[in-house]
Amino acid sequence: MTSHGDLPVPEHGLLLTHFLTVSDVAVSRRFYADVFGGEVVMEENPAIVKVANSWIIMNPGGGPTPDKPDVTLEVPRSTERVSGFLNVRVADMPAFHAHAVAHGARFLTEPLDRASELRCYLRDPDGYLVEVGQSTGLLSGILAARPTES
């Protein structure tokens, strides 16, 4: 039984959650619980995993509904183009990276030192991109380098 305190229900104002359309709810639920140390709040319909001070909500895709009449939810068609991603901040990048790899996470690269932060990216079971970063130089005023113009 889920307690009210575990659900993403604000006591006042608002709170932010992240919804993902997933192909296999159980696989994605397990990924976010295991890799990010999340707590499964609801198994499905929708699946909700509380991660730190946020919630990830997952459900299969589907066609339009009365409240979103022209919208179809689907998993990413390609991993080569991305318009948004989950950004996770960690206190200890080496510890998080080791934990995530031990739980099956596959990173695009090892964590890279970008002067302002240590940063790397991984993909979830449906190919969603997740940035993981630890602020380092940023804490002493070192900003990330601006992208070079092509």
Side-chain angles (χ1 to χ4, degrees):
M1 183 77 174
T2 301
S3 77
H4 176 76
D6 293 334
L7 292 172
V9 178
E11 292 181 24
H12 52 81
L14 60 88
L15 61 79
L16 187 63
T17 66
H18 192 72
F19 179 92
L20 296 173
T21 302
V22 300
S23 58
D24 187 322
V25 172
V27 168
S28 293
R29 182 182 64 234
R30 191 168 40 255
F31 175 85
Y32 284 98
D34 292 350
V35 171
F36 293 100
E39 172 191 349
V40 176
V41 175
M42 287 182 64
E43 294 284 325
E44 59 183 272
N45 202 26
I48 301 175
V49 177
K50 184 176 182 181
V51 178
N53 59 350
S54 192
W55 291 262
I56 298 177
I57 300 171
M58 296 157 273
N59 240 353
T65 58
D67 55 343
K68 54 177 182 45
D70 297 325
V71 176
T72 297
L73 297 177
E74 59 185 22
V75 298
R77 292 182 185 194
S78 168
T79 58
E80 296 170 355
R81 294 185 178 267
V82 177
S83 62
F85 54 87
L86 188 62
N87 184 306
V88 177
R89 308 312 291 175
V90 298
D92 183 341
M93 179 63 82
F96 174 82
H97 187 266
H99 168 85
V101 168
H103 283 88
R106 285 179 272 181
F107 289 82
L108 278 60
T109 66
E110 295 290 317
L112 300 176
D113 188 342
R114 298 179 35 85
S116 65
E117 66 180 342
L118 299 174
R119 188 173 84 189
C120 55
Y121 291 85
L122 62 102
R123 292 203 183 274
D124 84 352
D126 285 297
Y128 286 104
L129 189 64
V130 179
E131 176 185 307
V132 181
Q134 176 186 350
S135 295
T136 53
L138 185 63
L139 301 175
S140 59
I142 299 171
L143 303 179
R146 292 185 184 268
T148 56
E149 292 186 27
S150 304

